[in-house]
Every structure is written in structure tokens, then in C-alpha cells.
Amino acid sequence: MKIGVLALQGAFVEHRKKLEKLGVEVVEVRLPRDLEGLDGLIIPGGESTTIGKLATEYGLIEPLTAFARNKPVWGTCAGMIFMARDIGVRQPLLGLMDITVQRNAFGRQVDSFETELDIEGLNGGGPFPAIFIRAPRIADVDEEDVQVLARLEDGSAVAARQGHWLVTSFHPELSDDDRLHRYFISLINDQK
Ligand code: GLN
């Protein structure tokens, strides 16, 4: 199995390490040709405006959209913003998932926090240690097509799945828990 990590900006190295620990071959994606032969792609956290700008500059928007049609893609934090159909402001997006996302929904940098999260689909192992850094939240979903996998106590949706696409508001690559990375690998195995 070969998984790509979009490596334009942000926390791509941490995703890479996590996947390699699970025995997966990882490719850092910077150009359209890097997508060839990949079974799935992770779009990391970082700054969604920067990721969108660089993706536009490197001619990646259309190839990424085409790739996502048949292949699993997982966006974490800024990656989730980049995958959303609507974020209420204008910046380059892939517009894949039928979700409305609110950027910086929990305040500024000082408001970063960690919490224990119950996530649907992670078989056992208890709550997931979720690290939120200037995180977005899912403000609205098309409930016919999108399944919300986790909510904070205040009701904010922070993880969701639409077919072979996955989004999480937080940074699973920064905690010791590898269950979400294994969950993504299982989406790829289902898709093959
Ligand atoms: N606040 C960032 C944005 O809007 C996302 C933060 C993150 O990825 N940790 O793009």
C-alpha cells in the first residue's frame, strides 16, 4: 500500500512518520505526477490559505479533485477546510465534501486544547486524545451523504465521513494514538 501526504505546508512529516510506523510506504506529494500509483492521500493541518495558494500555483487543484473521485482522502484540520464545499469565505478549495466548515471556530492560537473524544468506527480502545490547534468545526452537513463521527460536548461536529472521504478538525498525527491512521488504512482496503 502506498499513501501520499500532501507536502506543500504544515504537519506532513508527522503524518509520514505515523504511517511509516504502521508499515505503509509514504510519498510526499508536491506535484501532480506524485499522485501516480497512490492508494490514498492525507491532506495535513497547517494554514489552509497557504495550502490552497500553493496547490493552485503547482497546478494541483484539478489533479487532486480527479484523484479523490476514486481514492480515499483524509483531511486533518486545514486539510479538512481544503476538502470542504463551503467555508463562507473565498479561498481555493477542493470542494469535495458536502460540509460547511467554520475556520478558527474555537478562537485563536492560545485557545488550542486537547480533549478526549468518542469517535464512531474506532473499534474499542476508549476515547481518542484529540489535539485542536486553531481548529475548524463542521457547522453543517448534508445528512443524507455525510456521517458525523464525533462531536465535542458543546455539539460541534469535529469528525465526519462521506464515502471514502474522511475529515477531522484535530491533529491525530500529533498524539500517540494510531487508531485513526489505521481507520484510514481500512478505508483504503475497502476501496481496493
Ligand atoms: N487555522 C488554520 C486554517 O484556518 C487551520 C489550523 C490547523 O490546521 N491546525 O487554515
Side-chain angles (χ1 to χ4, degrees), residues 117-188:
L117 204 60
D118 286 317
I119 302 177
E120 220 177 298
L122 296 189
N123 305 320
F128 191 93
I131 298 171
F132 290 78
I133 306 169
R134 293 188 66 210
R137 75 183 179 100
I138 304 164
D140 198 15
V141 302
D142 175 343
E143 284 183 22
E144 262 185 36
D145 298 320
V146 181
Q147 183 192 6
V148 173
L149 301 177
R151 290 183 188 275
L152 292 175
E153 268 170 24
D154 71 359
S156 303
V158 291
R161 176 180 170 181
Q162 181 171 5
H164 56 280
W165 300 325
L166 180 66
V167 287
T168 49
S169 292
F170 47 94
H171 284 260
E173 77 287 5
L174 298 183
S175 62
D176 281 337
D177 202 311
D178 63 6
R179 282 177 294 160
L180 271 172
H181 285 79
R182 284 194 271 135
Y183 180 81
F184 184 59
I185 290 169
S186 77
L187 287 191
I188 293 176

Side-chain angles (χ1 to χ4, degrees), residues 8 17 28 49 58-59 64 69 75 90 100 104 121 146 148 159 163 167 171 191:
L8 301 176
K17 286 185 185 154
E28 291 186 0
T49 46
Y58 297 153
L64 286 172
R69 242 169 252 141
R90 280 179 72 88
T100 302
N104 303 323
V146 181
V148 173
V167 287
H171 284 260
Q191 188 75 8

